Each structure stands twice: as structure tokens, then as C-alpha cells.
Amino acid sequence: MKYPAEPFKIKTVETIEMTDREERKEILKDAGYNTFLLPSKNVYIDLLTDSGTTAMSDKQWASLMIGDEAYGGSENWFRLEETVKEIYGFDHVVPTHQGRGAENILSQIMIEEGDYIPGNMYFTTTKAHQELNGGEFVDVIVDEAHQPDVKGDFKGNVDIEKYKNLIEEVGAENIPYINVALTVNMAGGQPVSMENIKKVKEISEKNDIMVMSDATRCVENAYYIKEREDGYQDKSVKEILKEMMNHFDGATMSGKKDCMVNIGGFLAMNDADMYQEATSLVVVYEGMPTYGGMAGRDMEAMATGIRESVNPHYIEHRIKQVRYLGDKLEEAGIPIIKPVGGHAVFIDAREFLPHLSQDQLPAQALAAAIYLESGVRSMERGVVSAGRDADGTHHYPKLETVRLTIPRRVYTYAHMDVVANAVIDLYEKRDKISGLEFVYEPPTLRFFTSEFEPLNDQLIAE
């Protein structure tokens, strides 16, 4: 089937309520036109993120009841450790409270002042940790990743020539590791091919550079390899995932995505010395090396979720539900990043609002307008997310997008229809949407807590 039915039946429901437009107008103003600051009770369909918003299965809820909350040596930790080693193949695992905890530890261990860290497009928290530890992120993704209309099977690939040129320019000794995201969030959830991963590993080994992965959505990446790359159609997603991760020296993981839980993460690696360093830091920032900021019940639920994530029926529905929304929007002429990625549909805000310059924050304005008109919450991924450089000048990313992020096992195709219709209706009056300006801006990761106001009196002229 082009769009397979949900591979589950609903046992418990949570009632959601719809606000009217006048209510949302005041709610949005109080939130400073930042969708992150909206109270969830006032959101109808919540597509802010797929991080920690998964609906856990009956088996995961049952896992909570066997939580061993021992401070050291929890039974749940040993099950999680065993599961990570089996499914992903790494030798050592350090638990953290979520992905950015793992990013913090990795950055402190690996990065020295003046180092360069290449990666296939930046991610906000990853880049922040790299910079806070004295490193400089360098984008080495293929050019097509920055071009919304260009279709390609693996737009998340590392550009091998860019990577080689960086090594030659700055010296391999100044590159502690390359960070390969699976999939690439900021590029629209685009996957990386197995062939590309192998080439990156080959070049890195020759230059004594470690290969790390932001493995947050690696199961989704494995599905795309099965679907699109020659020689993998007859392999299971589980087999492809194991082969894929075998080419990395380690990985950071936010368990709140592909591990199917609401909190948790880990840092995995093969090097024993690196593991010892990580365990000493995890005690400082997270907790004991056998819980790392998670309760025993959370670790048990994560171990169960990791195994559920490689179920073929689950992952097919996951990918194709997102694709369903993308297809609905593309058929209606809405400008989106193509092809549709694994976890979200990204609207091209520059094309949607061509009358707004990037300095007028079109993606932030569009996310606010979608909420105002429909109660659907999305998020900005553009100049606001990109932040400023050391001189205080905005970074201007080539992609200025609004992310419609689909939580796992939460919504149905009918909800996707509501979202699609809301965006399509808004497109008809797109020329009436005003730009925004900052009224409050924090120094780091500003997209989370910044506040804005319309450049005109109203966000959408009436």
C-alpha cells in the first residue's frame, strides 16, 4: 500500500480541545509569537517536534512497572546496555538524560581550542556544544541539501571532495572527528547512503580521524537505504542498521526519537580509553554510569522501544505517514523541501512568503501564522535557529523553513488531512502575513526562548 494503515490499535485516548481564532490571537501574543512558548493545552495538533513526543506501546508501559531504581547497578541499565550493543553494535555505552547530554560529553572529550569539526549540515545543540568547547563547525554536506526543489535519494550525504579539501586545508591533526547525522534534520530529514558512509570511513581512517554519528534517527535512515540503495532491498532494516553503525567509531543518541521514549539518551563508542573518560564526565554532568540521568523505568522502556523501532511494520508506517502529509501539500502546490524526509515535512518559507526578506524572519512568521489560523503548532528552522556569529551578525542559512514534525504513533491520517488543509488555506492569503522582529533574544540557542512582535500591527492583515 502507498500509505499503510496504522500498525496498532488505540487503547487509551487523550482528549484535545480546539480554541477559536480570537483566543489564539491573544495566546500567540502572550507567547511572543514563538511557538515554543505556547502552552500545550492551547495547541490542537502539536507538530513542534518528534523529540520525546512518542506514544509508548503497551509493552513499554509495562516496562515501567519493573523499574529497578537502584542508584548503582540497576537491572534496567544492564538490559539497556545489552540492547544497545545488540542492535547498534557498539562496545561501550554511557547513559545520558537526553541527546545533548551525550553531545556535551563527546565535545569535552574530543575537542580542543581551534579544532574543526566537519559535519553534514549543522544541528543547533550539536554546533553549540562544539563551539562552547573551542571548536568550529564546518559544513561538508552535498550542495543539493541546500536546494529545496532538487530531488535526490540521499541529499544528506557528505560531499567527499569538501571533506578532503578541509583535511588538506586545516590538517588532519586539527580535525578530531567528523560528525555524520542520520538522517539530516536541518536539510529536511534527508538520509545518507551506505556507500557514502563507507567512503567517509575510508578517508577518515587514512587520516586518523574518528567517525562519529548523530544517530538520533538512524532507523529512519536505514529504511531509506533499504528503499533506495541497490543491494539492500532484500535486507531487513535491523540488518541494515547494524551494518550502517559498524562504520562508526561512536554515536550520540537522543532516545526521544528513534528509541521511542519520552526522555533519555546515550553516548556509545568502541574505544575503551574514550569510554573511561566519558564515565568520569557523566558522573559530573548526568549521574552514575549505570543510570546517567534516567530513572530505571525509563531505561527499561528505552530498551523495549529500541527493539520496537526496527519492527518492519512500524518503520514503514512511520516513514509513509510523513510522506502522506508531504504528498498532500506538494499536490496543492505548497513549496516544500523535496523529497519528503523521514520525520517531518519542511515548508520552504522563502517561497511561501516571497515578500519577506530573511531579516523579517519569514519562517518564524509562518509558524506563528499557521498556529493563529488553525491551532496547529510547528516550528521555525531558519535564520532564528541559525543564530549569530561572534560579531553579532545573523547567520543566513540557505534553507528558511517551517518544520511540521510528526510524533511517532500519536496522530492518524485524518490529523494529517487537517494539517494539510490548514496550510493550503493559509497559502491563499500568504501575501497578508507580516514579518517579525525580535523583542527579546538570549545569547545561545535563541529559537527556544526568543520573543517577537509583528512588523505591522497584525500578524495577518484582516
Side-chain angles (χ1 to χ4, degrees):
M1 292 181 289
K2 187 174 183 181
Y3 308 115
E6 289 80 4
F8 52 82
K9 58 183 180 180
I10 297 167
K11 183 178 292 187
T12 302
V13 297
E14 176 186 349
T15 302
I16 53 177
E17 295 186 11
M18 184 62 166
T19 53
D20 63 38
R21 192 181 188 279
E22 284 305 306
E23 288 177 303
R24 291 194 298 274
K25 188 174 182 179
E26 291 304 312
I27 293 165
L28 188 60
K29 183 179 179 181
D30 290 343
Y33 297 88
N34 186 344
T35 55
F36 274 94
L37 302 180
L38 293 169
S40 66
K41 68 179 182 179
N42 300 132
V43 174
Y44 181 45
I45 298 175
D46 201 345
L47 306 187
L48 182 73
T49 182
D50 63 329
S51 179
T53 56
T54 291
M56 293 203 304
S57 70
D58 54 349
K59 292 181 175 60
Q60 286 180 291
W61 282 108
S63 296
L64 299 183
M65 299 308 296
I66 55 172
D68 173 12
E69 306 307 339
Y71 193 80
S74 165
E75 283 297 308
N76 311 122
W77 155 246
F78 293 118
R79 178 156 186 260
L80 176 59
E81 181 185 42
E82 175 189 9
T83 301
V84 171
K85 289 180 177 181
E86 176 190 337
I87 302 298
Y88 302 110
F90 294 108
D91 294 335
H92 306 288
V93 189
V94 178
T96 59
H97 76 284
Q98 61 182 59
R100 69 195 61 173
E103 291 171 348
N104 174 42
I105 292 171
L106 174 65
S107 298
Q108 291 208 37
I109 290 173
M110 298 289 292
I111 298 173
E112 296 181 358
E113 188 74 33
D115 279 347
Y116 297 86
I117 302 90
N120 52 342
M121 198 172 286
Y122 84 99
F123 184 68
T124 51
T125 59
T126 313
K127 183 171 178 282
H129 282 298
Q130 291 167 351
E131 291 175 345
L132 287 169
N133 284 279
E136 180 180 332
F137 168 79
V138 182
D139 189 357
V140 292
I141 202 169
V142 293
D143 289 341
E144 307 92 85
H146 296 285
Q147 301 166 2
D149 281 333
V150 174
K151 289 190 174 183
D153 287 342
F154 295 102
K155 287 173 67 175
N157 278 354
V158 171
D159 186 310
I160 298 302
E161 290 307 310
K162 287 181 184 178
Y163 183 32
K164 287 180 177 178
N165 290 340
L166 179 67
I167 295 171
E168 184 175 339
E169 179 184 344
V170 305
E173 68 277 8
N174 295 312
I175 303 175
Y177 65 95
I178 181 171
N179 190 62
V180 182
L182 306 168
T183 56
V184 183
N185 187 349
M186 304 298 279
Q190 302 300 325
V192 182
S193 72
M194 189 76 79
E195 179 185 15
N196 188 251
I197 293 169
K198 290 177 179 178
K199 287 181 179 178
V200 169
K201 179 65 172 177
E202 180 183 351
I203 293 166
S204 301
E205 282 190 330
K206 287 180 180 178
N207 289 277
D208 197 26
I209 297 170
M210 293 188 76
V211 185
M212 304 298 292
S213 173
D214 176 348
T216 294
R217 298 179 181 89
C218 57
V219 181
E220 294 174 9
N221 200 97
Y223 181 88
Y224 278 117
I225 288 174
K226 177 179 175 63
E227 186 181 59
R228 297 177 179 177
E229 193 162 359
D230 290 343
Y232 289 93
Q233 283 69 36
D234 295 330
K235 291 189 176 183
S236 70
V237 168
K238 183 179 180 181
E239 290 171 328
I240 295 168
L241 176 64
K242 189 73 168 286
E243 178 183 340
M244 191 170 67
M245 302 315 292
N246 187 53
H247 299 293
F248 292 97
D249 297 301
T252 57
M253 173 64 81
S254 169
K256 298 163 69 177
K257 285 88 168 177
D258 270 358
C259 295
M260 313 272 278
V261 287
N262 306 126
I263 197 68
F266 58 81
L267 172 64
M269 71 287 288
N270 293 322
D271 185 87
D273 292 335
M274 183 179 173
Y275 172 68
Q276 288 299 324
E277 281 193 75
T279 56
S280 66
L281 284 177
V282 79
V283 172
V284 176
Y285 292 103
E286 304 284 326
M288 278 284 288
T290 54
Y291 74 88
M294 284 185 281
R297 54 185 175 270
D298 295 323
M299 292 189 287
E300 190 70 30
M302 185 186 288
T304 302
I306 288 171
R307 295 182 185 279
E308 291 180 353
S309 73
V310 294
N311 178 287
H313 303 297
Y314 155 74
I315 189 59
E316 180 187 20
H317 172 264
R318 165 66 178 161
I319 296 293
K320 292 185 177 178
Q321 185 184 46
V322 178
R323 191 173 296 170
Y324 174 84
L325 175 59
D327 288 349
K328 295 275 286 187
L329 293 178
E330 187 173 1
E331 288 164 7
I334 306 299
I336 63 172
I337 290 184
K338 304 167 187 174
V340 174
H343 69 293
V345 178
F346 286 69
I347 302 171
D348 184 347
R350 280 173 147 174
E351 288 296 316
F352 198 107
L353 302 175
H355 60 287
L356 299 182
S357 70
Q358 243 180 324
D359 284 318
Q360 295 171 314
L361 316 180
Q364 191 71 46
L366 180 54
I370 291 171
Y371 173 75
L372 176 61
E373 291 298 294
S374 65
V376 174
R377 174 156 63 171
S378 58
M379 72 168 295
E380 181 269 1
R381 277 296 184 228
V383 67
V384 177
S385 291
R388 297 181 186 270
D389 63 21
D391 297 324
T393 303
H394 289 307
H395 290 294
Y396 292 100
K398 294 180 181 178
L399 295 178
E400 182 77 20
T401 66
V402 169
R403 191 180 77 179
L404 302 168
T405 331
I406 316 302
R408 293 162 182 80
R409 302 189 296 206
V410 172
Y411 295 117
T412 66
Y413 288 111
H415 290 105
M416 299 301 102
D417 288 338
V418 171
V419 174
N421 291 335
V423 174
I424 292 166
D425 289 346
L426 184 61
Y427 193 61
E428 295 301 313
K429 49 184 172 183
R430 58 193 182 277
D431 58 332
K432 297 181 179 181
I433 299 175
S434 168
L436 297 174
E437 62 181 351
F438 283 94
V439 294
Y440 166 70
E441 179 183 352
T444 305
L445 297 174
R446 62 184 183 175
F447 62 94
F448 283 124
T449 57
S450 287
E451 296 181 20
F452 311 88
E453 63 182 14
L455 293 169
N456 301 326
D457 290 338
Q458 295 178 318
L459 178 62
I460 303 176
E462 297 177 358

